[in-house]
């Protein structure tokens, strides 16, 4: 096996054009880790934020972008008993997915679900870990509740719609075109709201308001989300595409007993991520194997075309996931 590998690095903070092919030393498996030969890597918004200089990786993580991948285990570190060389897996990564090989904690690997290709499996970890921990963990979504997800046609959105629908919630989504709204309805949303034509606050008021909202927009959406929540409602924030600062009347939160929370996945401990992986394997992987939930695929690019993949994502024209073909 070669000691060096092809990878995509961020040459300097900036736009998609700052991504460039490079050679790096192959990673080695530390204690509790495996090394994966990457076949496919998922492309996610945090990758673009890191590329722009707005989302620094944790001190112990690779500086290369890439938070999820699928492929074959080629090295098993000390203390790992659940996986063997040759196993095909998908994995949540601390970074480094835009490369031919990547090291990650073994406990953050999951088997490729029955019936799915490696290409599809590469699209699972980042969005499914995020949605499961925020919608069902922090958000506590229950069957029969009204759930609103913004950005319904994104990787997060398409995952959240399917999982919430599979667990019996009433799902509403916002999106920016009629085509994207149709995709949301096809995935299980009861109603998709084109935010260019309709006010999601008024739509949700007519339905009795939302018990839970998952938002990655922030900015002007924050006070509107509060208005759209039912009494005892919960708002879970996972990103701020419009910015994190806004004027908000907190009296409504007290009077209507609202909860505002949120999280980012990457800085959380390896143990927390391992527990999420266990939950997904037990409760979600069977739904995928049964064909009730599946990643929505938008487009694929070669590893050397990572810049084009980022441009596609930042155009917001995509529906579902974008992947890089590595091997």
């Amino acid at each position: 096996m070669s000691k060096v590998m092809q990878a995509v690095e961020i040459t300097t903070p900036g736009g998609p054009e700052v991504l460039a092919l490079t050679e790096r030393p192959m990673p080695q498996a530390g204690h509790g880790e495996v090394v994966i030969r990457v076949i496919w890597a998922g492309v996610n918004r945090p990758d673009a934020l890191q590329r722009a200089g707005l989302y620094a990786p944790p001190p112990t993580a690779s500086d290369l972008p890439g938070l999820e991948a699928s492929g074959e285990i080629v090295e098993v570190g000390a203390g790992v008993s659940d996986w063997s060389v040759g196993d095909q897996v998908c994995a949540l990564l601390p970074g480094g997915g835009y490369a031919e090989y990547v090291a990650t904690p073994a406990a953050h690997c999951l088997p490729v679900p029955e019936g799915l290709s490696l290409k599809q499996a590469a699209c699972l970890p980042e969005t499914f870990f995020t949605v499961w921990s925020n919608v069902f963990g922090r958000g506590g979504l229950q069957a029969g509740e009204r759930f609103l997800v913004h950005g319904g046609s994104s990787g997060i959105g398409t995952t959240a719609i399917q999982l919430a629908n599979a667990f019996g919630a009433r799902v509403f989504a916002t999106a920016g075109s009629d085509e994207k709204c149709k995709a949301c309805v096809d995935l299980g949303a009861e109603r998709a709201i084109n935010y260019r034509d309709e006010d999601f606050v008024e739509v949700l008021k007519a339905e009795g308001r939302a018990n839970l909202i998952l938002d990655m927009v922030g900015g002007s959406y924050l006070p509107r989300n509060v208005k759209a929540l039912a009494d005892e409602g919960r708002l879970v924030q996972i990103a701020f595409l419009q910015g994190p600062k806004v004027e908000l009347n907190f009296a409504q939160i007290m009077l209507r007993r609202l909860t505002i929370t949120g999280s980012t996945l990457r800085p959380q401990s390896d143990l927390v991520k391992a527990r999420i992986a266990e939950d997904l394997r037990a409760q979600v992987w069977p739904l995928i194997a049964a064909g009730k939930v599946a990643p929505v695929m938008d487009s694929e690019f070669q590893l050397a075309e990572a810049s084009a993949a980022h441009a596609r994502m930042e155009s917001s024209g995509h529906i579902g996931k974008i992947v890089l073909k590595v091997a």
Side-chain angles (χ1 to χ4, degrees):
M1 209 163 13
S2 172
K3 298 289 186 185
V4 296
M5 64 177 183
Q6 292 258 293
V8 169
E9 68 179 359
I10 300 166
T11 56
T12 186
E17 71 281 356
V18 306
L19 297 174
L21 269 182
T22 187
E23 284 192 342
R24 288 287 184 92
M26 266 190 60
Q28 294 182 310
H31 190 278
E33 292 185 335
V34 297
V35 173
I36 299 167
R37 182 172 72 90
V38 178
I39 310 294
W40 296 91
V43 177
N44 293 282
R45 287 276 178 185
D47 302 338
L49 291 173
Q50 179 179 336
R51 187 208 69 226
L54 302 174
Y55 191 35
T60 57
S62 168
D63 65 307
L64 299 174
L67 299 176
E68 63 182 349
S70 65
E72 180 182 329
I73 292 176
V74 294
E75 183 186 348
V76 175
V80 176
S81 57
D82 294 342
W83 300 106
S84 303
V85 170
D87 287 345
Q88 292 196 334
V89 295
C90 57
L92 186 74
L93 310 173
Y98 293 16
E100 292 179 309
Y101 296 89
V102 67
T104 197
H108 301 172
C109 295
L110 285 160
V112 175
E114 186 180 340
L116 255 61
S117 65
L118 277 169
K119 177 181 172 182
Q120 291 172 301
C123 298
L124 298 176
E126 174 69 14
T127 50
F128 276 74
F129 273 70
T130 298
V131 169
W132 183 260
S133 60
N134 284 287
V135 173
F136 297 91
R138 290 184 176 277
L141 184 64
Q142 301 293 316
E145 288 192 316
R146 294 176 295 276
F147 170 57
L148 170 64
V149 56
H150 293 300
S153 60
S154 67
I156 292 287
T158 54
T159 301
I161 289 169
Q162 292 182 81
L163 283 180
N165 183 60
F167 283 93
R170 295 179 58 193
V171 185
F172 301 83
T174 61
S177 71
D178 290 342
E179 179 193 10
K180 289 181 176 180
C181 285
K182 181 182 183 302
C184 293
V185 171
D186 290 345
L187 288 170
E190 179 178 322
R191 172 82 187 275
I193 303 150
N194 186 334
Y195 61 76
R196 302 183 194 280
D197 301 329
E198 289 186 283
D199 181 358
F200 71 83
V201 177
E202 296 305 316
V203 173
L204 268 296
K205 278 183 177 178
E207 295 289 345
R209 290 190 167 92
N211 304 108
L212 176 65
I213 298 176
L214 181 68
D215 183 37
M216 63 284 288
V217 181
S220 64
Y221 273 42
L222 285 164
R224 295 171 66 199
N225 284 332
V226 169
K227 291 178 182 177
L229 281 172
D231 290 357
E232 311 275 1
R234 295 93 66 199
L235 168 62
V236 181
Q237 202 72 37
I238 57 169
F240 295 100
L241 296 177
Q242 279 190 11
K245 297 180 180 179
V246 70
E247 187 172 308
L248 185 62
N249 180 359
F250 270 77
Q252 285 297 306
I253 294 164
M254 291 170 17
L255 293 170
R256 296 170 48 217
R257 303 169 303 285
L258 307 180
T259 298
I260 298 179
T261 184
S263 74
T264 54
L265 181 62
R266 196 174 190 183
Q268 295 187 59
S269 72
D270 287 349
L271 179 59
V272 167
K273 295 172 189 174
R275 287 172 175 163
I276 298 170
E278 289 174 4
D279 285 347
L280 288 172
R281 190 167 186 169
Q283 301 192 58
V284 176
W285 256 228
L287 295 175
I288 299 173
K292 295 180 180 178
V293 177
V296 177
M297 310 297 293
D298 178 79
S299 50
E300 69 176 72
F301 296 83
Q302 298 294 320
L303 181 63
E305 300 172 319
S307 294
H310 275 225
R312 170 68 178 164
M313 183 174 59
E314 293 187 323
S315 75
S316 293
H318 64 293
I319 296 176
K321 296 283 293 194
I322 300 166
V323 290
L324 297 175
K325 187 176 184 180
V326 180

